[in-house]
């Protein structure tokens, strides 16, 4: 069979596409192979295969050209403005939560540009410009992003300089806790049926954890931790006190065998007078730096806690001791994997690279 590619100069693009598909349909009726039709029409075999499937299902109407998708309804400047507004979050535009849905984005487009999009069109628009449906990271509303950005170069540089001058370890400290109710973890289940994990609904107590990731150029990274169990007994402390933090700092100094530069957050117990007096009396081997408020993403110890929580996900513990054993087992394992601790440090950003 003889094919004719293209058309006259007066033909529109849609007419050319229509003629090509009609010629392909003629080849389908004649029983020609996809390879032969694709070579004659100078199109891909996948296109011919798709047309043949549409022809089988819908005949001539199935292979009819749908035409060009047309020009974008939003200009580049309008799309840039839309992206800036989306980055501000739904809360800034009057919604009660921080979840962008297709319906809300569609509403935003109408508010800003008086252009009506369908839900499918909104999805295609977002996908075309690099947006996708994602699980967000949580940040506190009280967090001062400007202070965090100022601290990144200034605070990190000061801490690294102090550690370099004193040949000291940079020690990032943080706390976490776990009750009898385990964190939820993803699991396989039948489609349409939400998996159910049976855990104990009753049970007193809480496991408190304090940890330090210790880094020094040329040395193997270390992890030092302390565990405290609270079982609800009378006069039993619920968590760590200032003496516990003091002892943890002394323990790090002893195990690392040199000066240390602790970097931690503004927890109330970190700022009490007795602990400050201890710092002032130990300036020969100790220099403390404070992280900005609500800046957990700057602390690599948060990455360690994330690994611990993931390991005990969906754990149906019989008692608090089982939670404690699981936490200690994971932390002990991480102590023998310095490359994982280095990965937690790298996850905080390039400015913290030691």
């Amino acid at each position: 069979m003889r094919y004719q590619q293209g058309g006259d100069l007066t033909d529109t693009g849609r007419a050319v596409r229509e003629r090509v598909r009609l010629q392909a349909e003629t080849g389908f009726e004649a029983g020609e192979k996809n390879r032969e039709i694709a070579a004659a029409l100078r199109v891909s075999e996948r296109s011919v295969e798709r047309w043949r499937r549409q022809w089988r299902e819908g005949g001539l109407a199935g292979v009819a050209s749908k035409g060009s998708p047309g020009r974008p309804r939003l200009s580049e400047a309008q799309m840039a403005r839309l992206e800036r507004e989306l980055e501000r979050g739904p809360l800034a535009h009057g919604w009660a939560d921080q979840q962008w849905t297709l319906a809300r984005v569609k509403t935003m487009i109408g508010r800003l540009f008086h252009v009506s999009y369908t839900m499918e069109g909104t999805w295609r628009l977002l996908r075309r410009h690099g947006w996708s449906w994602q699980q967000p990271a949580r940040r506190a509303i009280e967090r001062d992003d400007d202070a965090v950005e100022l601290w990144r170069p200034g605070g990190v540089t000061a801490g690294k300089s102090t550690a370099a001058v004193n040949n000291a370890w940079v020690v990032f400290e943080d706390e976490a806790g776990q009750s009898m109710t385990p964190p939820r973890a993803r699991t396989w289940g039948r489609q349409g049926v939400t998996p159910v994990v049976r855990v104990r609904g009753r049970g007193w107590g809480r496991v408190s954890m304090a940890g330090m990731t210790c880094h020094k150029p040329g040395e193997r990274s270390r992890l030092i931790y302390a565990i405290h169990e609270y079982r609800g007994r009378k006069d039993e402390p619920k968590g760590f006190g200032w003496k516990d933090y003091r002892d943890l700092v002394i323990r790090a100094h002893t195990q690392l065998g040199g000066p240390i530069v602790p970097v931690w957050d503004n927890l109330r117990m970190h700022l009490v007078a007795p602990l400050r007096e201890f710092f002032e009396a130990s300036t020969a081997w100790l220099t403390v730096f404070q992280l900005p408020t609500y800046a957990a993403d700057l602390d690599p110890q948060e990455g360690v806690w994330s690994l611990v929580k993931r390991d005990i996900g969906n754990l149906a513990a019989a008692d608090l001791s089982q939670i404690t054993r699981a936490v200690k087992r994971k932390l002990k394992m991480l102590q023998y994997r310095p490359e994982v601790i280095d990965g937690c440090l790298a996850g905080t950003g390039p400015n913290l690279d030691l």
Side-chain angles (χ1 to χ4, degrees):
M1 180 177 293
R2 191 177 172 186
Y3 293 92
Q4 179 183 359
Q5 174 71 4
D8 298 334
L9 294 178
T10 57
D11 286 343
T12 64
R14 181 168 184 172
V16 172
R17 287 191 297 273
E18 189 73 25
R19 183 180 296 111
V20 169
R21 291 206 179 194
L22 288 175
Q23 293 171 351
E25 184 199 12
T26 304
F28 298 156
E29 294 175 346
E32 296 189 14
K33 296 182 179 180
N34 292 344
R35 180 175 63 255
E36 298 173 353
I37 300 175
L41 296 178
R42 297 199 294 273
V43 297
S44 67
E45 290 189 36
R46 303 196 73 177
S47 296
V48 177
E49 181 181 353
R50 185 176 69 253
W51 295 345
R52 186 186 291 273
R53 185 170 60 253
Q54 295 171 347
W55 174 71
R56 287 172 180 168
E57 295 175 354
L60 179 60
V63 296
S65 174
K66 303 300 188 297
S68 170
R71 300 175 58 186
R73 304 180 66 186
L74 295 184
S75 65
E76 291 297 327
Q78 289 175 323
M79 190 62 207
R81 182 186 174 190
L82 175 62
E83 290 182 324
R84 289 195 300 270
E85 297 300 329
L86 293 180
E87 288 171 353
R88 292 177 58 196
L91 198 64
H93 295 283
W95 281 285
D97 55 48
Q98 293 281 43
Q99 183 181 20
W100 278 122
T101 62
L102 290 177
R104 291 181 178 181
V105 176
K106 176 177 178 293
T107 301
M108 279 297 303
I109 295 174
R111 288 180 183 176
L112 295 174
F113 313 115
H114 303 288
V115 175
S116 178
Y117 265 79
T118 62
M119 300 289 280
E120 181 181 0
T122 304
W123 182 87
R124 293 182 181 277
L125 177 71
L126 294 176
R127 294 286 295 184
R128 188 163 58 245
H129 287 83
W131 291 71
S132 62
W133 183 256
Q134 302 180 33
Q135 183 79 10
R138 289 187 295 184
R139 292 286 184 269
I141 296 177
E142 297 84 357
R143 171 187 168 107
D144 188 347
D145 290 324
D146 294 334
V148 171
E149 291 305 317
L150 290 174
W151 192 93
R152 279 183 184 272
V156 173
T157 302
K160 290 192 291 187
S161 300
T162 302
V165 169
N166 299 326
N167 193 28
W169 290 75
V170 180
V171 177
F172 295 90
E173 192 275 344
D174 193 52
E175 308 81 25
Q178 180 58 51
S179 65
M180 286 289 294
T181 304
R184 287 187 296 176
R186 293 180 180 271
T187 182
W188 285 99
R190 186 181 297 278
Q191 291 186 358
V193 180
T194 303
V196 177
V197 178
R198 301 290 181 181
V199 299
R200 292 188 177 275
R202 294 183 296 177
W204 287 92
R206 181 177 181 84
V207 178
S208 297
M209 303 168 278
M212 290 181 167
T213 55
C214 312
H215 307 272
K216 183 180 180 180
E219 298 284 348
R220 179 177 65 88
S221 296
R222 311 285 184 84
L223 172 63
I224 300 173
Y225 64 88
I227 302 293
H228 174 79
E229 285 186 351
Y230 171 69
R231 299 181 177 275
R233 298 190 178 101
K234 185 178 180 181
D235 299 328
E236 181 184 12
K238 292 185 177 181
F240 293 100
W242 73 269
K243 291 183 180 180
D244 298 308
Y245 291 113
R246 179 201 61 188
D247 295 343
L248 187 62
V249 170
I250 295 175
R251 180 174 152 202
H253 170 55
T254 303
Q255 292 187 11
L256 298 175
I260 63 174
V261 180
V263 181
W264 57 16
D265 57 22
N266 294 288
L267 183 70
R268 183 182 61 85
M269 196 57 66
H270 293 166
L271 307 176
V272 296
L275 203 54
R276 290 202 305 268
E277 294 172 0
F278 165 71
F279 294 156
E280 293 172 359
S282 307
T283 54
W285 56 271
L286 178 66
T287 306
V288 179
F289 284 85
Q290 302 288 143
L291 287 168
T293 305
Y294 297 105
D297 54 309
L298 299 180
D299 194 339
Q301 184 62 35
E302 288 285 348
V304 173
W305 299 142
S306 177
L307 294 173
V308 172
K309 297 279 188 174
R310 186 174 64 184
D311 197 59
I312 62 175
N314 299 343
L315 175 63
D319 52 27
L320 193 65
S321 298
Q322 187 175 351
I323 297 286
T324 303
R325 289 194 300 271
V327 168
K328 286 184 176 180
R329 182 175 62 250
K330 183 63 175 182
L331 290 172
K332 191 70 175 180
M333 183 194 72
L334 292 175
Q335 285 183 322
Y336 290 94
R337 295 191 176 181
E339 69 280 2
V340 178
I341 302 175
D342 291 336
C344 294
L345 177 68
T348 60
N351 289 326
L352 293 181
D353 187 7
L354 302 182

